[in-house]
Amino acid sequence: MIKKINVILNNKQKSRLTLLILSSLPLIFLETISISSLPIYLITILNPSKIFEYIDYQNLENIILNMSLIERALYGLVIIFFIFLTKAVYHILFNYLEFNTIKKINIEHSNKIYSYYLDESYLFHTQNNPSKLIQNIDDVKRSTSVIFSIFNICKELILIFCIIGILAFSEPIILIITLLIFSLPITFFLTYFRKTLKQKGEIAKKSRILILKNLQESFSLIKFIKLIGKQEYIKKNFELQYFRSIHQETTVAFIGRTPRIILELVTVLSISLIILFLFQTGQSFESMLPLLTLLVVSLVRFIPSVGIILVGINQYKFHHVSLSNIYNIFNLHDEKIKEINLRNIDKSSNQEITYKKNIQFFDVSFSYPNSIKSSLKNINFVINKNSKIGITGPTGSGKSTLIALLLGFLKPNNGKIKVDNNDIHTNLNSWQKSIGYVPQAIHLVDDSIKKNICFGINDNKINYEKLEKVIEISGLKEFINNQPKKLDTIIGHDGARISGGQLQRIGIARALYLDPKILILDEPTSSLDMITEENIIEKILSLDALTVILISHNPKIIEKCDNVLSLKDQTVICNKT
């Protein structure tokens, strides 16, 4: 466990946690003083001379013994109030520090994992379901709760030992009786649910991943689901996974609250038995009152401490799977993160790839991991600067894989992809900055038309002259002018409020706004009517200072290109000029 926490927390976070641990020590001291103060106050009123059987301080003894009963009561109350006030203020400040530390760790860990996933290869994302990645990021707060559960267990254990020390100093026999009475329920809660909670934690995690997967898929397929009338099937699947997840969470919450109720009952039982024991020893009620007060106050503070420890242990068992998950992510991928950082350093030192002459594929072959069949085999061709290239071929011939290789999303198993004799993978970041890409499935954010075309650019940095130009080329001008809010029109999630053709045109405008040297179009106008499609393609192909690579099944569009690559059986079978 310590090893996992050591890997998960960086040095700065460990320093924060160390500060929190040190800050908890004064709080424990104040808790101990506050518990002791009430019985001492009663002794000061009822029998002040008894205090000085334990304290040899003559001046203090003379001052207290010379006070009247009212003075002792009044001054004692002032001191007790000051002690509890100091504890309350310090406790508030400590809680702020604790929650602020938790907040910072959660933010830093979430950002770290999210950044790692964004920097990971395209291939990584094809092999991992988004719902799993989202759940991994969400697991951060659960892993942090485990770390702070351990911290709270240690803090409360120290306080319990302080309480035990006070009782041992005051009346060892009473302490032994109390510990014997409480040992049975505490042992039961520590042992009975051990395996159950771990299993429930694993079930809950799997169910949370399936819930996210169900939600993402059902909202993406909403048209199809409504068309075939499978709402009930989807609902039942969601209800089943949600029930499994919530059932585990509810069970843990129930188990967490139960100990306090049982311990309160045991407290009443123990106090009753101790009173009977003290009466059996022949003590008067007045003489036993300070001891009973100490016992009651100690148990009142003891019960929450035991409750926090038991809840912390339950959280540790239930969320241990999340902590292990975050540990595995950090541990297994730290080397990859270092490689990414080194690669970023290399990018800054490598010569920028400037596309001035041509793009060359030299004997490029590629196959996906765990796949026996090659996706592309021995691909050779040259694309000259500012040429217009059409790519055609039957479904499954490797067109999309070829584009993914050209974009640098995939790396060839064999062969090289070069730009002016420079391998694109020596400075992939520089190469990708020169490309505009319009995929088959265009995804838009739930924002305005302007924000989608100028994606990732702040409003004060938008070039409106360039924006108007790409709107004109993509054929969006009339559509935007007909909208009440013009460029500020909200298009909905993935363009749900606009037509497929308008969505594709926004995708084209978004790619052109980047001022690319190379524009890659993967069937970008399939949702447009024939006339509009030809007009937009003609405008794009008429841009002289732009290399265009166009995938299409439309012969009329392909004919407009300078050169055509025909793919079949994962290789180029024809290179027509």
Side-chain angles (χ1 to χ4, degrees):
M1 177 50 58
I2 300 299
K3 179 186 175 183
K4 291 181 179 179
I5 294 173
N6 188 52
V7 170
I8 290 172
L9 298 178
N10 60 34
N11 290 333
K12 192 173 182 181
Q13 291 163 350
K14 289 171 190 172
S15 298
R16 288 196 205 116
L17 195 58
T18 302
L19 174 63
L20 193 64
I21 291 168
L22 294 174
S23 301
S24 69
L25 298 179
L27 180 61
I28 293 169
F29 174 76
L30 288 170
E31 290 275 14
T32 307
I33 294 297
S34 64
I35 290 169
S36 306
S37 64
L38 290 174
I40 292 172
Y41 172 67
L42 289 174
I43 294 172
T44 304
I45 294 172
L46 299 173
N47 189 8
S49 59
K50 191 172 183 180
I51 295 174
F52 299 102
E53 292 177 8
Y54 305 98
I55 302 173
D56 186 16
Y57 193 5
Q58 191 64 42
N59 291 335
L60 180 62
E61 183 178 359
N62 291 333
I63 292 169
I64 291 175
L65 293 177
N66 289 328
M67 286 182 184
S68 66
L69 179 63
I70 295 174
E71 286 176 328
R72 291 200 301 270
L74 180 60
Y75 290 136
L77 283 173
V78 170
I79 293 169
I80 287 172
F81 176 77
F82 178 76
I83 290 170
F84 276 85
L85 177 64
T86 305
K87 188 191 81 168
V89 171
Y90 190 86
H91 207 159
I92 291 169
L93 293 174
F94 176 81
N95 284 344
Y96 174 80
L97 178 63
E98 182 180 0
F99 285 109
N100 196 47
T101 304
I102 292 170
K103 178 191 73 175
K104 286 180 179 179
I105 291 174
N106 281 336
I107 291 170
E108 288 164 4
H109 284 178
S110 297
N111 288 343
K112 182 177 179 179
I113 296 175
Y114 185 53
S115 297
Y116 168 71
Y117 286 156
L118 288 180
D119 289 335
E120 259 294 3
S121 67
Y122 168 75
L123 197 58
F124 169 86
H125 288 279
T126 64
Q127 295 172 332
N128 287 275
N129 193 294
S131 56
K132 180 184 176 183
L133 303 184
I134 293 168
Q135 184 56 52
N136 286 344
I137 295 171
D138 194 51
D139 269 349
V140 162
K141 61 177 181 285
R142 295 181 180 88
S143 68
T144 306
S145 74
V146 173
I147 295 170
F148 278 83
S149 292
I150 295 169
F151 164 71
N152 284 323
I153 288 169
C154 295
K155 177 168 69 74
E156 296 302 324
L157 277 173
I158 295 171
L159 179 58
I160 286 173
F161 285 130
C162 290
I163 293 171
I164 290 172
I166 295 168
L167 289 172
F169 179 77
S170 303
E171 194 64 56
I173 297 174
I174 300 300
L175 171 63
I176 293 168
I177 295 171
T178 306
L179 290 177
L180 287 173
I181 294 170
F182 276 92
S183 62
L184 184 62
I186 291 173
T187 304
F188 170 77
F189 285 118
L190 285 174
T191 57
Y192 184 74
F193 299 107
R194 184 186 300 171
K195 291 183 179 179
T196 305
L197 289 170
K198 188 176 180 181
Q199 291 170 353
K200 288 185 177 298
E202 291 172 353
I203 293 169
K205 177 175 172 55
K206 290 177 182 176
S207 296
R208 287 193 298 268
I209 292 172
L210 291 172
I211 287 168
L212 283 171
K213 183 173 178 288
N214 183 280
L215 290 172
Q216 287 179 314
E217 291 174 350
S218 60
F219 291 140
S220 298
L221 296 169
I222 190 66
K223 288 181 181 178
F224 182 67
I225 290 168
K226 283 184 170 294
L227 181 65
I228 64 175
K230 288 293 182 181
Q231 291 94 325
E232 286 303 316
Y233 171 79
I234 297 296
K235 284 178 190 175
K236 285 179 181 178
N237 191 20
F238 173 78
E239 286 170 4
L240 175 63
Q241 299 305 332
Y242 198 76
F243 170 79
R244 285 178 178 171
S245 176
I246 292 298
H247 178 67
Q248 315 312 321
E249 301 278 358
T250 305
T251 302
V252 172
F254 173 74
I255 292 171
R257 290 190 181 185
T258 304
R260 183 171 186 135
I261 299 167
I262 302 300
L263 289 173
E264 284 176 357
L265 180 63
V266 173
T267 299
V268 174
L269 176 63
S270 62
I271 291 172
S272 302
L273 291 173
I274 289 167
I275 290 172
L276 287 174
F277 171 76
L278 291 173
F279 274 122
Q280 288 293 325
T281 60
Q283 293 188 40
S284 65
F285 182 74
E286 185 178 301
S287 63
M288 70 172 73
L289 183 59
L291 180 59
L292 287 175
T293 304
L294 174 62
L295 182 63
V296 171
V297 173
S298 297
L299 291 178
V300 165
R301 188 60 188 86
F302 177 78
I303 291 172
S305 292
V306 173
I308 289 169
I309 290 170
L310 292 174
V311 168
I313 291 170
N314 290 343
Q315 276 195 331
Y316 166 75
K317 291 172 184 173
F318 186 69
H319 292 311
H320 179 265
V321 63
S322 296
L323 182 74
S324 297
N325 185 39
I326 299 300
Y327 164 75
N328 289 333
I329 292 170
F330 283 13
N331 191 45
L332 293 174
H333 300 309
D334 267 354
E335 287 303 316
K336 288 187 178 181
I337 292 169
K338 289 177 183 177
E339 287 176 14
I340 289 169
N341 291 334
L342 287 172
R343 196 159 65 236
N344 289 337
I345 293 170
D346 290 341
K347 285 176 187 176
S348 62
S349 61
N350 283 346
Q351 183 179 359
E352 186 177 350
I353 293 178
T354 54
Y355 176 44
K356 294 181 178 179
K357 295 180 181 179
N358 55 41
I359 303 165
Q360 296 171 296
F361 272 60
F362 291 102
D363 290 324
V364 171
S365 297
F366 178 81
S367 60
Y368 286 93
N370 303 319
S371 175
I372 300 173
K373 186 179 178 182
S374 294
S375 298
L376 288 171
K377 295 181 291 185
N378 303 321
I379 301 294
N380 290 278
F381 63 83
V382 178
I383 298 174
N384 293 319
K385 188 180 180 183
N386 299 335
S387 61
K388 319 303 178 189
I389 307 298
I391 299 177
T392 186
T395 302
S397 59
K399 299 187 297 299
S400 294
T401 302
L402 179 69
I403 294 302
L405 286 163
L406 182 58
L407 289 166
F409 291 161
L410 301 175
K411 193 171 184 178
N413 300 129
N414 295 300
K416 298 284 184 182
I417 302 170
K418 292 187 175 183
V419 175
D420 296 348
N421 289 322
N422 293 312
D423 191 325
I424 64 170
H425 289 279
T426 59
N427 197 337
L428 195 56
N429 188 45
S430 173
W431 166 240
Q432 289 173 339
K433 283 181 179 178
S434 64
I435 300 173
Y437 175 50
V438 185
Q440 287 183 41
I442 297 169
H443 295 284
L444 302 178
V445 295
D446 188 3
D447 210 326
S448 65
I449 295 173
K450 178 175 67 178
K451 284 288 188 181
N452 273 280
I453 295 174
C454 308
F455 181 75
I457 301 170
N458 293 327
D459 284 348
N460 58 351
K461 293 185 178 180
I462 291 175
N463 184 329
Y464 284 91
E465 185 178 341
K466 189 197 298 184
L467 179 60
E468 289 296 328
K469 182 180 177 182
V470 299
I471 286 170
E472 178 68 34
I473 294 170
S474 59
L476 280 168
K477 190 171 184 178
E478 184 179 352
F479 167 69
I480 292 170
N481 288 337
N482 289 334
Q483 303 303 309
K485 293 186 178 181
K486 309 299 182 187
L487 282 168
D488 294 319
T489 301
I490 303 298
I491 62 170
H493 174 67
D494 261 347
R497 301 180 191 176
I498 58 176
S499 69
Q502 291 156 355
L503 183 146
Q504 287 188 325
R505 282 182 280 184
I506 290 173
I508 293 168
R510 181 174 63 185
L512 288 170
Y513 183 83
L514 299 172
D515 275 338
K517 295 177 181 178
I518 303 154
L519 181 64
I520 299 174
L521 306 166
D522 191 351
E523 302 210 43
T525 53
S526 56
S527 296
L528 298 174
D529 62 84
M530 192 175 295
I531 295 173
T532 305
E533 179 184 23
E534 288 184 9
N535 287 337
I536 291 173
I537 294 299
E538 282 180 2
K539 285 179 182 178
I540 292 172
L541 295 178
S542 68
L543 298 172
D544 293 330
L546 182 66
T547 301
V548 179
I549 300 169
L550 170 65
I551 295 178
S552 179
H553 288 287
N554 187 340
K556 289 186 178 180
I557 297 298
I558 291 294
E559 285 173 4
K560 298 178 185 293
C561 298
D562 303 331
N563 197 9
V564 180
L565 300 176
S566 295
L567 272 72
K568 187 177 181 182
D569 297 328
Q570 291 72 51
T571 192
V572 175
I573 61 165
C574 188
N575 190 341
K576 297 179 182 178
T577 302

